[in-house]
Amino acid sequence: MTRPVPGADGAGPLVTAAQIREVALALPRSYEALVRERVKFRVGRIVYVTLSRDELTMGCGFPREERAAMVAAEPEKFMLPRPSELRYQWIEVRLTAIDADEMRELVTDAWRMVVPKSVAAAHLGRTAG
């Protein structure tokens, strides 16, 4: 299967599935699963990041109360999840519009939402709080 390549036309992703995988799998308790041809990253049974089948968008855990403001502030990067998923703490991200640093922050923050505070603190070198 051929994947879009970043180019001058902006059609391809700035962030690739391989980069997301590298970040996600470096996080404690995180593992990859393939569900209905979609890559998902989990802690236990909880999904905190998923990729679209074409790997052009990423869904990730995100505080529900901050979602609308993020979409309104940067609609070129962020989208609300489909209506059936609005009840979840989730946001959709266009991989053509973010860089590796933004992806790393989004993935790490989504992971922090699903692990015990002590695990996040130990990994990130902070005190739990």
Side-chain angles (χ1 to χ4, degrees):
M1 178 187 285
T2 304
R3 298 279 182 243
V5 177
D9 63 358
L14 294 176
V15 173
T16 65
Q19 291 171 302
I20 295 167
R21 181 174 287 113
E22 182 179 341
V23 171
L25 294 180
L27 298 168
R29 301 187 184 189
S30 182
Y31 68 95
E32 183 176 342
L34 189 63
V35 179
R36 290 184 223 129
E37 299 178 28
R38 290 185 66 181
V39 174
K40 297 181 183 275
F41 295 95
R42 295 178 170 179
V43 169
R45 295 187 53 138
I46 302 172
V47 175
Y48 69 94
V49 167
T50 187
L51 297 173
S52 62
R53 285 184 181 90
D54 62 8
E55 297 179 358
L56 293 176
T57 61
M58 171 180 79
C60 60
F62 196 86
R64 193 178 303 116
E65 61 277 0
E66 297 174 23
R67 221 175 19 198
M70 184 65 90
V71 171
E74 299 186 87
E76 72 284 357
K77 292 182 182 182
F78 301 103
M79 305 171 284
L80 289 174
R82 62 182 175 222
S84 64
E85 295 178 352
L86 283 173
R87 68 183 182 268
Y88 301 114
Q89 295 197 87
W90 202 254
I91 198 165
E92 297 289 328
V93 185
R94 291 179 181 89
L95 297 179
T96 56
I98 64 169
D99 63 25
D101 289 337
E102 290 172 298
M103 175 274 296
R104 188 174 295 103
E105 183 178 349
L106 287 163
V107 170
T108 302
D109 287 350
W111 168 83
R112 287 178 63 202
M113 291 175 68
V114 300
V115 294
K117 288 181 182 181
S118 61
V119 172
H123 180 70
L124 300 173
R126 301 183 187 136
T127 59

